[in-house]
Amino acid sequence: MFTRPYKRKFIGSIAMAVVLAAITPVRPKLIEITVNKYIAAADKTFADKAIEILVWITIFQIGFTVLETLLRFYFSYITSWLGQAVVKDMRVKVFGKVLSLNLRQFDKTPIGTLTTRTIDDIERINDIFSDGLIPIIADLLSILCVLGIMLYTDWQLTLISLIPFPIIIVATYYFKESVNKSFYRVRNAVSSLNAFVQEHITGMYIVQAFAAEKREGEKFDEINREHRDANIKAIFAYSVFFPLVEIVLALSMGLIVYYTGRQALNLGVGQEGKVMSFILYLNLIFRPLRVIADKFNVLQMGMIASERVFKVLDNDDVLPPSPPAAYAPAHVKGKIEFDRVWFGYNEEHPVLKDVSFLVEPGETVAIVGHTGSGKTTIISLLNRLYQINRGQIKVDDVPVDEFDVDTLRKNIGVVLQDVFLFPGSVLDNITLMNPSIPKEKVVEAAKLIGMHEFILQLPGGYDYNVMERGATLSLGQRQLLSFIRALLYNPAILILDEATSSIDTESELLIEKAIDKLIAGRTSIVIAHRLSTIQRADKIIVLDKGEVKEVGSHLELLARGGFYSKLHRMQFERKMQAT
């Protein structure tokens, strides 16, 4: 699938492997002929011209060595290039898949695990091409060609030299199995390390605020110890295997010298050239054998990594895509209807139960309830961040499933309690790096919120770097920036999800003034724990444990003396106690 665009390069690398395998035994064979004919003077025919012929043979050997080196360089380059090209395409595909995953996948999957899949595991797939499949094919072809020439030259000597080979075959098998198990443990440990570090760097404030550095450090030490032990086991296998290969090679060479020495004594015929060539042949066989088991492990680890990557690619827990003829109106009026909606992040435990309500265009509706009652979930479903289990959600009498997703979300402006800012300038965070939004519009929105003067006081003004997650700004300032962001996109539907919960009274007054201008002719949904911020809403929806308990205006709900009245009385009493 991913190699199809590079089919010619892939076939070319295989062809290059065949060529390299064919020329591998040439130099040893040429050395054998040279020694037997012109150095040991086995052939007296050319004895007078021996020196001249040796010079030309030497020149040819040098030229042939240079040519072989260039071919091996090109082979190494083309396989590495192919690996990097495939990895680049695969990484883009995987990240695109991650972007389309249902948000529940991020709720239950550690961020570090997805990071490992997208970066580290895909890098292991690159090794399949640069150090795995194609190099293994090249090495095996080279071994077969060398063995073929050895058998053709002297089949008896070849078989004698291969007597210790069963040792290396058994050792290679056990080495491969041992290293494979160790590498599998290493990959799991790396994934755990990535997840742990990602989570703890993100939550470092909590770790330090609760003096948990020592405890969390001990947890990290335990995970890191597993990573170390797995690597040490692999290192031990290497330290045993490579010396064993050298011992087997030495045994084979000893058998060659012994056998050819016996032949020379019995037959009186020089075997110098044959001995030299066979020793070179053995080195050509053992050179790839030293690393072929390691390459098999690289290939296997690449396959394990590819299985993990393809699990992400094959994950079908995504929101249904927009239909081919998706509804994409130029203007959204802002009518919202929830009709008997059921939803749960886990279907066995519903968060919303048979929720129904209607918001007319231009209305301001407040949603109140205890923590965990499902307020924020309603907003996520309206944005199609999750797929409902039952019921229907409509905007302007059209089911949201039939909307073009981009059109729907562009018409819904959201200001959340937990504001996320990207590393970069104030301007980039407000526009979300959209080049089509001019700075003048940003300034206009900032003035409406009352943030323009504050931004100008920052070093660099709108170019001030807010750092990762807005670390250089207060929580209230971050919320105000996100409010500018929502204003800038001029949405038909405005959602304020606990947007003023962490803002001081002065900042809250600034926002309330901006809201008065903003909500005119615009549908607004306000979620807040502080009931004082929603008393002017046209309608208040009271949620409890995922069910709609009451609907009405502030005064109507107070008059009923029900759930809302109880909430209001509790907050009023707490306020009186605080004062």
Side-chain angles (χ1 to χ4, degrees), residues 6-17 20 70-86 126 129-130 134-135:
Y6 312 104
K7 184 178 178 181
R8 292 178 63 181
K9 285 279 195 307
F10 183 77
I11 294 174
S13 63
I14 297 296
M16 187 65 67
L20 287 171
L70 291 174
L71 289 175
R72 291 193 181 279
F73 164 77
Y74 182 71
F75 175 73
S76 177
Y77 172 79
I78 196 173
T79 52
S80 297
W81 183 94
L82 183 62
Q84 290 297 332
V86 169
N126 169 54
F129 296 92
S130 59
I134 300 174

Side-chain angles (χ1 to χ4, degrees), residues 6-70:
Y6 312 104
K7 184 178 178 181
R8 292 178 63 181
K9 285 279 195 307
F10 183 77
I11 294 174
S13 63
I14 297 296
M16 187 65 67
V18 174
V19 171
L20 287 171
I23 66 174
T24 296
V26 171
R27 282 190 295 125
K29 190 65 179 177
L30 194 59
I31 288 172
E32 178 189 348
I33 294 171
T34 302
V35 171
N36 285 341
K37 283 199 170 211
Y38 308 113
I39 295 178
D43 189 344
K44 303 295 183 183
T45 308
F46 303 102
D48 297 337
K49 297 183 178 181
I51 295 177
E52 182 181 349
I53 293 173
L54 282 173
V55 170
W56 282 108
I57 290 175
T58 302
I59 293 172
F60 177 80
Q61 285 273 38
I62 293 171
F64 188 82
T65 302
V66 171
L67 175 64
E68 185 179 6
T69 301
L70 291 174

Side-chain angles (χ1 to χ4, degrees), residues 414-536:
V414 182
V415 179
L416 300 172
Q417 178 184 11
D418 184 17
V419 180
F420 186 91
L421 296 180
F422 295 93
S425 68
V426 170
L427 184 64
D428 286 343
N429 271 282
I430 293 174
T431 63
L432 295 178
M433 290 177 281
N434 186 341
S436 65
I437 300 176
K439 185 176 180 179
E440 293 75 21
K441 282 193 174 182
V442 177
V443 172
E444 183 182 341
K447 287 180 177 178
L448 182 63
I449 300 300
M451 282 286 287
H452 178 64
E453 295 301 325
F454 164 74
I455 294 173
L456 290 181
Q457 292 173 7
L458 296 171
Y462 283 88
D463 294 323
Y464 175 69
N465 190 341
V466 301
M467 307 299 287
E468 188 169 0
R469 300 183 68 86
T472 57
L473 300 177
S474 70
L475 183 56
Q477 290 165 346
R478 295 202 297 270
Q479 286 182 327
L480 285 166
L481 284 184
S482 71
F483 204 88
I484 299 172
R485 182 194 292 167
L487 282 173
L488 188 64
Y489 280 84
N490 192 28
I493 300 170
L494 179 67
I495 297 170
L496 306 177
D497 186 359
E498 305 285 0
T500 61
S501 62
S502 300
I503 294 179
D504 56 74
T505 304
E506 183 180 352
S507 299
E508 188 174 350
L509 290 173
L510 290 174
I511 288 180
E512 286 181 356
K513 289 179 181 178
I515 289 174
D516 290 339
K517 298 177 183 178
L518 182 64
I519 64 176
R522 178 180 281 111
T523 303
S524 301
I525 297 178
V526 181
I527 297 175
H529 284 299
R530 288 190 285 186
L531 303 184
S532 60
T533 62
I534 58 175
Q535 291 180 7
R536 289 179 294 168

